[in-house]
Amino acid sequence: MSCWETIIDYGLRSQGIGERLLPRNDFTLCQQFTLIGSGMIWNAYFGLIALCTGFFMATAVALGKAAQSAWIRKPADWFIFIFRGSPLFIQFFFAYFLFLSLKAQYPIFSPLTSAWAGALVVLFLNTAAYSAEIFYGALQSIPKGEIEAADAYGLSGWSRFRRVIWPTMLRLAWPAYTNEAIFLFHATTLVFFSGFPALQQRGDALYYANYFADKTFNPFIPYPILAGYFILLTLVVIGIFGLVNTRLNRHLPQRLRKRLKIKPQVIR
């Protein structure tokens, strides 16, 4: 089988398209690159959906934490504390057994016992909590002069938030938020170790890397391939977030524009 035929057969296997049976012997580099790359589709799915949905929830939670009313501030504080204070790995296991219990009573929760939905919920809540703390810090750092200028122009309520507070908050928080986005995509590898099952062996990238390592007894090929894919994904994230950062700082003089300084988190 040529490499092109391997790509056709296994390129979308993680989505249930193409060859169903995994190769059993005579593993080639092309097979490993193709299948691990196929699994990266799930990692990109988890990271992208959790990041997009978590962004809006994080904004709401950050505003809640900054609210004067204790009825709004305290729930936001506890939400951030719980998800930042407990390991993500434990959150996966707790959520899986919680969803299993709910499924036994209410069949409507059945999709949440699968990785595509249940693990996504955990990643969404986790990144929302971390991002909310970042956004809250940015809210507290907004120069008072900008708010006073908005008041002088007669802006108030939603108009002031949309035109002044929210853009400034994003500009101040974006470098730290970029690191959170990178960590989120890296954290998608934990889905493999969680209790959420991969249906019909349609696993993520680490699932296929682990499969080849077990079959060949040689982890020095599949795992570096996996790391290479994540490095490429990280470069894509840095590039996209860098463009957004340039857009957010376009009104500032060149010497005052903050460049992204990527500091990946090794231990959360």
Side-chain angles (χ1 to χ4, degrees):
M1 179 182 294
S2 67
C3 186
W4 177 246
E5 292 174 333
T6 299
I7 294 173
I8 294 176
D9 289 342
Y10 294 111
L12 294 175
R13 186 190 181 280
S14 65
Q15 307 304 304
I17 301 174
E19 183 66 37
R20 182 173 180 178
L21 296 177
L22 288 170
R24 299 294 182 182
N25 48 46
D26 298 328
F27 304 106
T28 64
L29 277 176
C30 184
Q31 289 176 340
Q32 299 190 48
F33 271 102
T34 301
L35 281 166
I36 295 173
S38 174
M40 284 295 297
I41 297 175
W42 278 114
N43 294 93
Y45 159 79
F46 288 130
L48 185 62
I49 301 299
L51 190 67
C52 292
T53 54
F55 172 82
F56 295 102
M57 184 173 180
T59 303
V61 174
L63 292 174
K65 185 173 181 178
Q68 294 182 352
S69 173
W71 292 99
I72 300 176
R73 186 176 66 255
K74 289 301 181 181
D77 279 336
W78 278 103
F79 172 79
I80 294 174
F81 176 75
I82 289 173
F83 281 95
R84 291 180 72 232
S86 58
L88 177 58
F89 193 61
I90 302 301
Q91 293 171 23
F92 274 122
F93 275 98
F94 178 81
Y96 178 65
F97 290 109
L98 174 63
F99 294 151
L100 279 181
S101 300
L102 291 174
K103 175 184 176 181
Q105 300 294 328
Y106 309 99
I108 193 174
F109 288 99
S110 295
L112 293 179
T113 58
S114 299
W116 70 270
L120 180 61
V121 169
V122 177
L123 288 169
F124 155 67
L125 294 174
N126 185 272
T127 191
Y130 276 89
S131 302
E133 187 66 20
I134 294 172
F135 291 162
Y136 172 74
L139 278 174
Q140 300 302 108
S141 301
I142 295 177
K144 292 184 179 180
E146 295 191 14
I147 298 177
E148 292 172 353
D151 293 336
Y153 273 98
L155 297 176
S156 62
W158 171 248
S159 296
R160 185 176 67 170
F161 174 77
R162 181 174 63 87
R163 293 178 178 272
V164 179
I165 296 178
W166 193 59
T168 304
M169 179 196 77
L170 288 182
R171 180 172 61 83
L172 296 175
W174 205 253
Y177 185 60
T178 302
N179 283 294
E180 167 59 24
I182 293 172
F183 177 84
L184 174 63
F185 279 99
H186 291 175
T188 59
T189 56
L190 291 178
V191 175
F192 171 77
F193 296 105
S194 67
F196 293 98
L199 299 178
Q200 298 180 350
Q201 296 182 326
R202 301 175 190 175
D204 61 354
L206 185 56
Y207 175 91
Y208 292 108
N210 188 70
Y211 173 81
F212 286 117
D214 286 344
K215 293 296 183 180
T216 62
F217 300 101
N218 182 11
F220 297 103
I221 294 179
Y223 290 131
I225 292 174
L226 176 65
Y229 275 120
F230 271 101
I231 290 173
L232 291 176
L233 182 59
T234 299
L235 292 175
V236 171
V237 172
I238 293 173
I240 294 174
F241 274 68
L243 292 175
V244 176
N245 185 64
T246 302
R247 175 74 177 176
L248 292 172
N249 291 279
R250 67 189 184 281
H251 62 288
L252 297 176
Q254 190 69 33
R255 60 186 178 82
L256 296 179
R257 296 182 184 182
K258 293 183 178 180
R259 299 187 63 182
L260 292 180
K261 295 180 180 180
I262 309 303
K263 298 179 180 179
Q265 303 177 32
V266 179
I267 299 177
R268 168 172 280 186

